[in-house]
Amino acid sequence: MSDNAAKCPNRLSFQYKGNYKYAKVPGTSYRENGKIRKKGTIYLGRVIDEKNNIFYSKERGVFKYDIENNQFLRADPSFTGTLQNDQRKKPKLILDFGDSFFINELIHQMNYDKVLNSIGYKNKDTLYSMVMFYVLTDISCMHCNTWYDGNFVKILYPNADLHSQRISEFLSFLGKEEIRQKFFKSHIDWIKEKISNDPAIVIDSTGLPNDIQIELTNVSNHNNIISNEVRMISAIQRDSGYPLIFRAIPGNINDVSTLSKTITVLNGYGVNTDMALLDAGYLSEKNIDNLYYANIDFVARLPEKLKTIYDNIVEQGKNELRRPENLVTFMGRFVYVKRVNCNIGTIKKEAYAYLCFDVDAASSENHKAIVNSKKLSQKKLKKIGSAFHELFETSGMFIIISSLPYKTDEILNVYYNRLIVEQYFDLGKGLSRLMPLRVHNEERVLGHLLLCQIAATMNLYIQKKLNQTYLNSVELYLGLRNQKCVIYATKIITSEAQSSATRLYNKFKITCPNYYIKHGDVLKSHNSIPKVNPDDE
């Protein structure tokens, strides 16, 4: 290196190690105690793109170095500095095949690739690889690169960059407001076109425990359970059960204050809600007034905190409730149901209340109270005797309120359609990796939740097609994962599929190729036996 280069802090120095070029800011020389020393040397790591000053190091991942201002910047997602091309690393010749092949084919078959492409991430290979990782696994993102190295997805999407720092940048990108808006618009358009145009919705929320301190994390007291969490509100299409949007709010915000905002956000995406199924946590006099004002019909469980109207309905209906003509069966349970007309909200609009008495629930609550009473002394029991009497009178009792009149033997079926949102949360937390939350800033939380909704949509599509519920990814995708492929110089040959994988292929009318011809990053599938002259292929 020349003296001029040593004196210029903005000039880079390069050297080769093996097949790779490395860079550093050489710094400046100075004399101390008769010895020549250096200061300001910065080791940048492997050169990815010398012209654009893109480098890779283990500490920073792929980054851009601003020489003039001595700043480390995020690199464009199109620059990949992945180590899987490292010649010192022996490539794997046998890869998991069936699971990523199946999901990749299904994405195109569903026309869901249009939704994914609307996100506008510059490295499409990273986007599709991460979608498959979220659909197929429930392991931490820190193991994503290991999964990628052993799966056919690295052949399908060879330019994916799945190092932890790049994944964090990717999640932050997905979490941006403008990106989420693009996704929700395209996703809802896809549901309207391919699934259902039903404007009726179910809204509910679930807690995502998170001890990492970010703005979205706060103390929640939900159903008397206290936890440190982010709350995710989801709007689900009533008829199909597919998720429309999600919203993330701090754990200390009550459900009741989120209803109007969620419906308004849906309206912004072209969902003109005309019917809402709600849990008790969303009902207040103000929300009732707003729903009537917007001409949105609703069915909801009436919360006991609306004490005046609740007690009035109980008083009107309880004496005639437990009669033979009011007994209905629902999902193997016996429930007495009595309809009572009422006026609700501050504007006192006419509505229909259904006073219900669940025989099984009453028996369970009474038994629990009796067991607890045995621990009390006779003196204490006398003091709270009236409370026990009231408990025995009201246990198993609940009220469903509706803006529309339904037959008493229909109302339970109507209201418990909202269980589809509970099923969606179960699907999200089980199969689609919604839990646990392991991200450290708000944009990454939102990006993680967006990927979870994509994964849940894919898994829901599969389960509905199969008419079967799966609790975890191992149960659903193990047969597919056990189908391998063998990598040769220019060919990739697939192994025979097990019966469980074959059933999935047949159900979705997907043909598994016999082999692929590989030219660079271009794959061409073949279902026949290879020809004698390979140039003909």
Side-chain angles (χ1 to χ4, degrees), residues 447-491:
H448 168 71
L449 296 182
L450 189 149
L451 272 181
C452 289
Q453 178 164 321
I454 292 172
T457 298
M458 297 289 300
N459 284 318
L460 194 61
Y461 185 90
I462 293 168
Q463 294 195 1
K464 285 180 176 292
K465 190 81 171 180
L466 297 176
N467 293 318
Q468 191 170 352
T469 299
Y470 289 88
L471 298 178
N472 57 68
S473 57
V474 172
E475 183 184 5
L476 177 56
Y477 298 119
L478 185 59
L480 288 167
R481 193 172 301 146
N482 283 342
Q483 184 186 14
K484 310 297 181 182
C485 64
V486 183
I487 312 300
Y488 295 90
T490 59
K491 280 190 177 69

Side-chain angles (χ1 to χ4, degrees), residues 58 141-142 145 161-170:
K58 287 184 178 179
C141 286
M142 67 183 293
N145 213 16
D161 195 344
L162 303 182
H163 288 85
S164 59
Q165 179 250 6
R166 296 296 261 178
I167 290 175
S168 296
E169 292 176 3
F170 171 68

Side-chain angles (χ1 to χ4, degrees), residues 82-119:
T82 55
L83 296 179
Q84 62 259 31
N85 297 322
D86 193 328
Q87 298 300 316
R88 294 169 296 179
K89 189 172 183 179
K90 186 177 179 181
K92 293 186 179 180
L93 299 180
I94 299 178
L95 303 175
D96 294 343
F97 170 77
D99 52 358
S100 57
F101 165 75
F102 173 75
I103 295 300
N104 190 59
E105 291 292 308
L106 194 62
I107 287 172
H108 300 301
Q109 186 185 102
M110 294 165 60
N111 293 317
Y112 204 72
D113 47 353
K114 182 179 179 182
V115 179
L116 299 182
N117 294 338
S118 72
I119 291 171

Side-chain angles (χ1 to χ4, degrees), residues 513-529:
N514 185 34
Y515 68 99
Y516 291 88
I517 296 292
K518 188 173 184 289
H519 297 287
D521 290 344
V522 178
L523 290 177
K524 186 177 181 181
S525 63
H526 294 267
N527 298 320
S528 58
I529 298 174

Side-chain angles (χ1 to χ4, degrees), residues 216-253:
L216 283 174
T217 301
N218 217 309
V219 177
S220 167
N221 184 354
H222 192 74
N223 295 330
N224 295 321
I225 298 175
I226 297 175
S227 63
N228 212 33
E229 65 184 24
V230 177
R231 289 204 70 76
M232 184 184 77
I233 302 165
S234 288
I236 309 294
Q237 192 177 55
R238 181 193 63 182
D239 282 4
S240 70
Y242 278 85
L244 297 171
I245 64 167
F246 69 84
R247 298 178 60 229
I249 61 172
N252 61 343
I253 295 179

Side-chain angles (χ1 to χ4, degrees), residues 354-519:
Y354 296 83
L355 182 62
C356 305
F357 176 81
D358 185 326
V359 177
D360 280 358
S363 176
S364 177
E365 291 173 28
N366 289 342
H367 176 72
K368 192 180 297 183
I370 291 169
V371 170
N372 291 335
S373 71
K374 291 178 179 178
K375 302 174 184 178
L376 301 175
S377 65
Q378 190 64 31
K379 185 177 180 180
K380 287 184 178 180
L381 195 57
K382 282 184 178 180
K383 285 184 178 180
I384 60 172
S386 59
F388 269 93
H389 176 74
E390 184 177 347
L391 172 66
F392 295 147
E393 284 284 302
T394 59
S395 58
M397 198 174 287
F398 61 97
I399 298 170
I400 297 174
I401 203 89
S402 172
S403 61
L404 295 173
Y406 290 95
K407 294 180 180 179
T408 54
D409 58 354
E410 293 177 345
I411 190 62
L412 292 175
N413 280 310
V414 172
Y415 173 68
Y416 282 106
N417 271 332
R418 63 170 298 281
L419 289 178
I420 61 172
V421 74
E422 300 291 348
Q423 293 162 2
Y424 170 66
F425 289 150
D426 289 343
L427 173 69
K429 291 181 177 181
L431 197 61
S432 303
R433 54 182 300 118
L434 189 60
M435 295 279 284
L437 216 51
R438 299 187 182 102
V439 281
H440 295 74
N441 68 42
E442 184 173 334
E443 281 191 344
R444 289 180 201 168
V445 169
L446 295 169
H448 168 71
L449 296 182
L450 189 149
L451 272 181
C452 289
Q453 178 164 321
I454 292 172
T457 298
M458 297 289 300
N459 284 318
L460 194 61
Y461 185 90
I462 293 168
Q463 294 195 1
K464 285 180 176 292
K465 190 81 171 180
L466 297 176
N467 293 318
Q468 191 170 352
T469 299
Y470 289 88
L471 298 178
N472 57 68
S473 57
V474 172
E475 183 184 5
L476 177 56
Y477 298 119
L478 185 59
L480 288 167
R481 193 172 301 146
N482 283 342
Q483 184 186 14
K484 310 297 181 182
C485 64
V486 183
I487 312 300
Y488 295 90
T490 59
K491 280 190 177 69
I492 299 171
I493 301 177
T494 61
S495 68
E496 294 81 359
Q498 296 181 0
S499 58
S500 58
T502 301
R503 282 196 295 271
L504 279 171
Y505 291 147
N506 292 340
K507 187 69 176 180
F508 290 89
K509 298 180 181 179
I510 291 174
T511 301
C512 179
N514 185 34
Y515 68 99
Y516 291 88
I517 296 292
K518 188 173 184 289
H519 297 287

